[in-house]
Amino acid sequence: MRIGELAERTGVSVRALRYYEEQGLLAAQRSESGQRHYEEHAIGRVRLIQQLYAAGISSASILEMLPCVVTGVGAPHVIDKLRGHRSSVVKQIEELQETLLQLDNVIVSATAAYETGRPCPPS
């Protein structure tokens, strides 16, 4: 399939697909005229790349992880990196949960002040 069809089928821009190729994350065969052509399995690979990006993993780390993820053969350093990234995400979630609690407290105080006409208590 050509790059436009891959973009349409994966919901990823043509520009992003070109970037993936530049980074070594995605391979295309070239026609004599230089047009990119992708195998059917490229759809799954693009979706996997998108998931890893969504998890906050850099293109360099994705490049390192892809062989492990695609083949199912684990490499200790890749597993360590994945676990390290997971720990980082868990910490971010905990920090966001604390921020959410703080925000909820501010909303409760602001709502009470609005409804009673009394100013919010100083923090």
Side-chain angles (χ1 to χ4, degrees), residues 10-121:
T10 59
V12 175
S13 71
V14 168
R15 183 176 180 200
L17 295 174
R18 288 186 186 123
Y19 175 78
Y20 296 169
E21 189 175 343
E22 288 171 11
Q23 298 300 306
L25 302 173
L26 185 63
Q29 298 171 347
R30 297 285 187 145
S31 69
E32 289 182 17
S33 63
Q35 292 181 333
R36 292 170 173 88
H37 291 276
Y38 299 91
E39 301 288 331
E40 190 71 21
H41 66 82
I43 294 169
R45 188 170 185 113
V46 168
R47 289 184 177 144
L48 173 61
I49 292 166
Q50 286 293 107
Q51 289 173 330
L52 294 171
Y53 271 131
I57 299 173
S58 71
S59 59
S61 292
I62 291 173
L63 183 60
E64 187 178 6
M65 294 173 189
L66 273 176
C68 175
V69 175
V70 170
T71 65
V73 177
H77 71 282
V78 173
I79 294 167
D80 288 344
K81 263 193 159 176
L82 287 166
R83 286 184 176 143
H85 186 72
R86 185 185 188 285
S87 293
S88 174
V89 169
V90 168
K91 183 177 179 188
Q92 290 173 355
I93 289 169
E94 290 168 352
E95 290 170 353
L96 285 172
Q97 287 174 329
E98 179 60 32
T99 300
L100 184 60
L101 288 173
Q102 297 278 342
L103 182 58
D104 286 344
N105 289 335
V106 169
I107 291 170
V108 167
S109 294
T111 301
Y114 173 75
E115 290 173 350
T116 64
R118 285 182 252 146
C120 296

